[in-house]
Amino acid sequence: MASFADKTFTPPELIRNFCIIAHIDHGKSTLADRMLQLTGVVEGRAMRAQYLDRMDIERERGITIKAQNVRLPWQVDGQDHVLHLIDTPGHVDFTYEVSRALEACEGAILLVDAAQGIEAQTLANLYLALEKDLTIIPVLNKIDLPAADPDRYAAEIAHIVGCDPDDVLRVSAKTGSGVRELLDEVVRLVPAPVGDADAPARAMIFDSVYDTYRGVVTYIRVVDGKITPRERIRMMSTNATHELLEVGVVSPEPKPTEGLGVGEVGYLITGVKDVRQSKVGDTVTSQRKGATEPLTGYREPRPMVYSGLYPVDGSQYPDLREALDKLQLNDAALTYEPETSAALGFGFRCGFLGLLHLEITRDRLEREAGLDLISTAPNVIYRVVKDDGTEMTVTNPSDWPTGKVAQIFEPIVKTTILAPSEFIGAIMELCQSRRGQLGGMDYLSETRVELRYTMPLAEIIFDFFDALKSRTRGYASLDYEEAGEQESDLVKVDIMLQGEPVDAFSAIRHKDDAYGYGTSMTTKLRELIPRQQFEVPIQAAIGSRIIARENIRAIRKDVLAKCYGGDITRKRKLLEKQKEGKKRMKTIGRVEVPQEAFVAALSTDSSADKPKK
């Protein structure tokens, strides 16, 4: 029998809900570790680095992928308080999770590395927090580093947040200095949650994970009323009803309680086996006498990038389907549907929030299910209007219409780049070469500048970030958000072997960029495909027009080896005979592209024309 952690609900005025906003590698998870130690919820012997990061990939890469929450007890001036910390991801791909976590808080700690300054993705999340009227507590971390320059970056943060440089707290999450004072400031500055305890229950889902033994565990923040075990609840976006088997808090291990009141953050378990039934951002209410108005802000996460995932060994297709089913239980933003390719066999077309999401999903599938996968070049969603007025959505080059096309629309994004001012020229040159339009430029300090561009999403998802990093010696940071669509002059480039198109290498490119893609792909395939007994032409084509060509020369047997003298007509006769044989072989021969060639061509495709570091 589970022992109940609390018999009564915590009064809202003693609760503080806050999250940490920070860029990757600015010390967010380390600060969370120190808070767990200081508040005593984790014993010293059980402590480990990145305590809240549960996945192997998170621990290896040092990044947070899933938002985590934890309940911390803290005493100020003899009064016990309850702090709810929600640890959020820092990467642009997971902005949706960050926005849901912000909805569940009243305050946010803005954590900035004292040796690097504020980054673009942190700035984007800060603007999200300011939009939601959260109390911002600016904090400089890593002040113990020799390269730290706290005074300079405190002035920069003060300029952005609109506070005094002396108000910026200075901590070292590694050594623990300043963390006590930070927790006291959270209690002092962050407002207590507000809600009506007697109203019908309303709680917002800010995360949900799949547990093999218990089903879906849903993390919620209660806004009005109370949620107690054994009552029936209703999800307001899907109208699905469930019985609550367990309600509790995370401290940092799950602890069952007798319920959650106004302002409290905790978890529900209903025994449901499908994460899609408890969607992030949805509102939970009681089935009987429930609320009629849902909480604001629910929307479906929309895939931004599509890519095909194929098993290297075709017999692993059922295993890949099963692995994707399991992964979707943990990641509701992942979408997939079966597709076939003449070159790669059976696989799935998957939708992702961004390139990091794609990379991590593929990594998890390979590790957790022991699969070997090929991922095709990433694509965005295009809207095509044909001559007869019909519209279609294209996520795969093989779906591109064959008839005449009136208009093609592609998604565009608003891009924010933060970098030292000495790199302005290199960044502008890069953005203009990727069809970017300058929207504005601001100096955050004498040495750092913020550039705002509107660019096609397709230009960003290939190798834009790598090119930006190499041109700015790694100092620039990038953030982007969707900004609608624009009409563009796009074409489909087909790669053909012996006149037959190979669907895996097809790509949708801007007219000006099509020739570059065609020549780089044909050159690459000439090196990767083994020579045959006959000559093989590799061509890049737009419709029926060939734009690039390379030849794989035939392997020739030396038929003249036995002619060591005599008349020239003997040699000519043997060469003519060989020529006839080659011609006949070409009509019946098929070019087999080895699997390694696909892997090499597709994996290096995203980094084609990449500046060398």
Side-chain angles (χ1 to χ4, degrees):
M1 172 96 181
S3 64
F4 290 118
D6 297 314
K7 288 288 175 196
T8 54
F9 298 114
T10 309
E13 58 272 15
L14 299 180
I15 295 174
R16 301 288 183 271
N17 296 325
F18 71 100
C19 62
I20 305 175
I21 296 172
H23 192 67
I24 297 164
D25 207 29
H26 277 209
K28 181 166 29 111
S29 298
T30 314
L31 180 62
D33 290 348
R34 289 297 81 74
M35 288 178 172
L36 294 176
Q37 275 183 315
L38 267 178
T39 53
V41 293
V42 179
E43 293 176 19
R45 61 185 178 167
M47 194 64 205
R48 61 168 195 265
Q50 287 175 259
Y51 191 90
L52 292 177
D53 290 345
R54 303 295 166 94
M55 276 191 269
D56 290 345
I57 297 176
E58 288 183 313
R59 306 181 67 73
E60 276 172 29
R61 294 182 175 221
I63 59 174
T64 303
I65 295 165
K66 290 295 287 180
Q68 302 284 354
N69 77 93
V70 63
R71 182 188 180 104
L72 308 167
W74 190 245
Q75 200 174 57
V76 179
D77 302 332
Q79 175 64 61
D80 287 329
H81 289 81
V82 169
L83 309 180
H84 287 128
L85 158 64
I86 298 173
D87 185 21
T88 59
H91 196 277
V92 60
D93 283 10
F94 305 109
T95 303
Y96 182 66
E97 284 206 17
V98 177
S99 70
R100 298 306 90 205
L102 294 175
E103 289 277 2
C105 299
E106 279 78 35
I109 293 174
L110 173 66
L111 192 69
V112 176
D113 188 328
Q116 291 182 323
I118 198 159
E119 304 277 4
Q121 289 165 16
T122 318
L123 202 57
N125 290 341
L126 170 64
Y127 292 150
L128 279 177
L130 290 170
E131 273 172 33
K132 296 186 168 55
D133 288 335
L134 265 59
T135 302
I136 307 293
I137 303 175
V139 178
L140 276 172
N141 188 22
K142 305 190 185 181
I143 54 166
D144 56 316
L145 287 180
D149 190 352
D151 295 336
R152 174 179 153 199
Y153 292 122
E156 189 176 299
I157 295 169
H159 170 67
I160 294 165
V161 179
C163 65
D164 198 82
D166 297 335
D167 295 340
V168 180
L169 296 176
R170 299 172 186 205
V171 304
S172 168
K174 189 176 174 186
T175 62
S177 74
V179 180
R180 274 183 189 281
E181 293 78 4
L182 172 57
L183 287 170
D184 290 344
E185 284 292 288
V186 168
V187 172
R188 196 172 64 80
L189 295 176
V190 175
V194 179
D196 185 348
D198 301 319
R202 285 199 306 172
M204 195 193 75
I205 300 174
F206 64 85
D207 196 17
S208 55
V209 295
Y210 180 73
D211 183 287
T212 318
Y213 302 105
R214 317 194 70 186
V216 176
V217 180
T218 304
Y219 295 106
I220 59 158
R221 145 80 198 264
V222 181
V223 176
D224 294 325
K226 60 181 185 289
I227 297 228
T228 52
R230 295 296 162 196
E231 70 171 324
R232 286 196 74 81
I233 55 161
R234 178 167 64 89
M235 307 291 183
M236 292 186 82
S237 79
T238 58
N239 270 330
T241 60
H242 312 288
E243 186 184 356
L244 280 180
L245 305 179
E246 188 180 300
V247 177
V249 296
V250 183
S251 183
E253 302 307 322
K255 291 181 184 166
T257 65
E258 287 187 340
L260 296 170
V262 170
E264 288 195 275
V265 175
Y267 68 89
L268 319 168
I269 293 177
T270 56
V272 173
K273 294 284 190 233
D274 187 356
V275 158
R276 284 164 293 188
Q277 292 195 18
S278 59
K279 297 178 175 180
V280 172
D282 199 355
T283 305
V284 177
T285 187
S286 312
Q287 187 184 1
R288 289 176 66 247
K289 297 182 182 171
T292 51
E293 283 294 309
L295 297 164
T296 55
Y298 172 68
R299 64 180 175 86
E300 292 273 355
R302 243 182 60 209
M304 302 271 275
V305 173
Y306 282 85
S307 175
L309 287 180
Y310 293 86
V312 171
D313 177 2
S315 64
Q316 287 189 325
Y317 175 73
D319 302 340
L320 176 58
R321 179 193 291 274
E322 197 178 312
L324 280 167
D325 279 339
K326 276 188 186 163
L327 191 57
Q328 197 174 38
L329 293 173
N330 255 333
D331 186 353
L334 173 68
T335 61
Y336 63 92
E337 56 184 39
E339 75 166 1
T340 54
S341 153
L344 299 173
F346 291 101
F348 291 92
R349 189 102 196 135
C350 305
F352 304 96
L353 298 173
L355 279 195
L356 181 75
H357 190 205
L358 186 161
E359 199 182 320
I360 282 166
T361 303
R362 182 178 160 179
D363 208 345
R364 286 184 69 183
L365 288 169
E366 290 186 338
R367 280 170 190 232
E368 293 167 19
L371 300 167
D372 272 336
L373 300 175
I374 299 174
S375 56
T376 60
N379 261 314
V380 297
I381 312 161
Y382 300 99
R383 186 165 67 87
V384 179
V385 182
K386 294 205 229 171
D387 263 4
D388 57 5
T390 56
E391 275 193 22
M392 61 184 292
T393 304
V394 176
T395 58
N396 190 349
S398 59
D399 299 337
W400 196 257
T402 48
K404 284 204 169 180
V405 170
Q407 289 172 298
I408 303 159
F409 294 91
E410 65 174 343
I412 54 170
V413 288
K414 280 188 178 149
T415 311
T416 308
I417 299 168
L418 286 192
S421 47
E422 66 201 79
F423 297 116
I424 290 176
I427 294 169
M428 284 183 152
E429 187 191 341
L430 173 66
C431 292
Q432 279 160 3
S433 71
R434 300 301 177 91
R435 300 189 282 140
Q437 291 177 324
L438 183 64
M441 187 166 94
D442 287 322
Y443 278 85
L444 303 178
S445 63
E446 300 90 67
T447 54
R448 277 163 70 81
V449 69
E450 175 189 340
L451 292 149
R452 291 182 300 282
Y453 270 90
T454 303
M455 297 175 74
L457 178 61
E459 296 288 349
I460 283 186
I461 63 167
F462 275 91
D463 61 330
F464 181 78
F465 190 55
D466 288 4
L468 178 69
K469 283 284 186 191
S470 59
R471 286 181 192 220
T472 59
R473 298 207 301 273
Y475 283 114
S477 65
L478 168 79
D479 181 69
Y480 61 86
E481 62 179 58
E482 48 191 308
E485 58 181 18
Q486 68 178 17
E487 190 177 345
S488 292
D489 203 354
L490 301 169
V491 291
K492 178 190 175 190
V493 183
D494 279 315
I495 304 294
M496 303 196 294
L497 287 177
Q498 239 188 319
E500 290 290 318
V502 182
D503 58 351
F505 297 133
S506 299
I508 296 163
R509 289 298 172 107
H510 190 263
K511 213 170 185 175
D512 300 342
D513 185 36
Y515 175 73
Y517 175 78
T519 48
S520 72
M521 210 58 182
T522 49
T523 310
K524 204 179 300 171
L525 286 174
R526 190 190 68 188
E527 292 162 11
L528 292 169
I529 295 172
R531 287 168 69 184
Q532 314 286 323
Q533 293 275 342
F534 48 92
E535 189 177 59
V536 178
I538 305 170
Q539 296 164 309
I542 299 172
S544 57
R545 187 164 62 90
I546 306 296
I547 57 168
R549 174 178 172 137
E550 292 282 348
N551 285 345
I552 300 174
R553 288 180 49 220
I555 302 171
R556 297 189 63 153
K557 184 182 170 189
D558 189 1
V559 290
L560 304 182
K562 59 187 180 188
C563 295
Y564 46 85
D567 191 30
I568 185 71
T569 52
R570 281 187 65 203
K571 293 182 180 178
R572 198 165 286 145
K573 186 179 166 189
L574 287 169
L575 287 171
E576 286 298 324
K577 194 176 172 188
Q578 186 187 34
K579 198 171 168 185
E580 284 299 314
K582 294 277 180 210
K583 200 184 276 182
R584 198 166 64 250
M585 193 183 281
K586 190 167 185 173
T587 59
I588 58 165
R590 277 189 69 240
V591 184
E592 289 295 328
V593 183
Q595 208 72 28
E596 299 77 54
F598 277 114
V599 177
L602 293 172
S603 59
T604 52
D605 175 40
S606 58
S607 51
D609 318 318
K610 189 185 288 183
K612 299 284 179 281
K613 292 184 184 174

